[in-house]
Amino acid sequence: MDFEQVLKVIEAVSKSELTRFKYEENGVKLQLSKEKEQVRILQGEPCVQPINNGERTVEAVTADVKKQEKERVSGDGETGNFVKSPLVGMFYAAPSEDAQPFVKVGDTVKKGQTLAIVEAMKLMNEIESEFDGEIAEILVENGQPVEYGQPLFRIC
């Protein structure tokens, strides 16, 4: 088997649904394997907002389904948009100790609205929402240290 034939076999196996392939001829052994992508199906209520006074148009439902298909699934199967910490620091839910938190679960937020503060090197960094929606979950406690990329809020 020459090099071009090996390349053709590799290409054919890559395009197929085979996960393993073994071939042996005249002392030449060829063994190929690939892992199949696993798809998770979410169950439960999706995070969608009703429109038109509770009535949904076909276009709106189709758009929501396409959006949900594109979303990556977190390890525990939750859906929604996650606001993640842009830096390492200390998470604060309110502007001061005696003030009300910026947001609570169930609050409606707009893109650009301040959700919390992360203190890093004595600088207070406002964390703004990247999405319009409703706060479905606050994933960290006030005064808790956070890491870069750690999910802070789930917004539906």
Side-chain angles (χ1 to χ4, degrees), residues 75-89:
D76 53 5
E78 294 175 334
T79 61
N81 297 304
F82 290 88
V83 176
K84 298 178 180 179
S85 178
L87 58 149
V88 174

Side-chain angles (χ1 to χ4, degrees), residues 11-30:
E11 185 177 331
V13 170
S14 296
K15 289 181 179 178
S16 75
E17 297 212 13
L18 292 173
T19 56
R20 291 179 188 257
F21 177 80
K22 273 187 178 180
Y23 178 78
E24 208 172 312
E25 178 184 12
N26 298 331
V28 175
K29 295 179 183 179
L30 180 64

Side-chain angles (χ1 to χ4, degrees), residues 45 47 49 74-85 91 93 101-109 115-116 127 129 131-142 144 150-156:
E45 303 263 336
C47 295
Q49 299 290 330
S74 69
D76 53 5
E78 294 175 334
T79 61
N81 297 304
F82 290 88
V83 176
K84 298 178 180 179
S85 178
F91 175 86
F102 288 105
V103 294
K104 300 181 294 293
V105 172
D107 287 354
T108 300
V109 296
L115 303 176
I127 305 303
S129 178
F131 317 98
D132 291 341
E134 182 179 313
I135 301 291
E137 191 174 4
I138 300 174
L139 302 166
V140 291
E141 297 291 323
N142 189 45
Q144 178 181 339
Q150 178 179 347
L152 305 174
F153 299 91
R154 183 168 60 96
I155 299 176
C156 291

Side-chain angles (χ1 to χ4, degrees), residues 26-84:
N26 298 331
V28 175
K29 295 179 183 179
L30 180 64
Q31 183 174 349
L32 304 171
S33 65
K34 64 180 180 180
E35 294 199 17
K36 225 176 182 180
E37 183 178 333
Q38 292 184 352
V39 178
R40 287 188 178 176
I41 299 174
L42 299 177
Q43 294 183 356
E45 303 263 336
C47 295
V48 292
Q49 299 290 330
I51 58 174
N52 297 337
N53 297 327
E55 295 179 20
R56 306 243 359 209
T57 63
V58 173
E59 292 82 11
V61 172
T62 303
D64 286 337
V65 169
K66 286 181 182 178
K67 180 181 175 187
Q68 289 171 6
E69 286 174 352
K70 289 181 182 178
E71 283 181 356
R72 287 283 172 207
V73 178
S74 69
D76 53 5
E78 294 175 334
T79 61
N81 297 304
F82 290 88
V83 176
K84 298 178 180 179

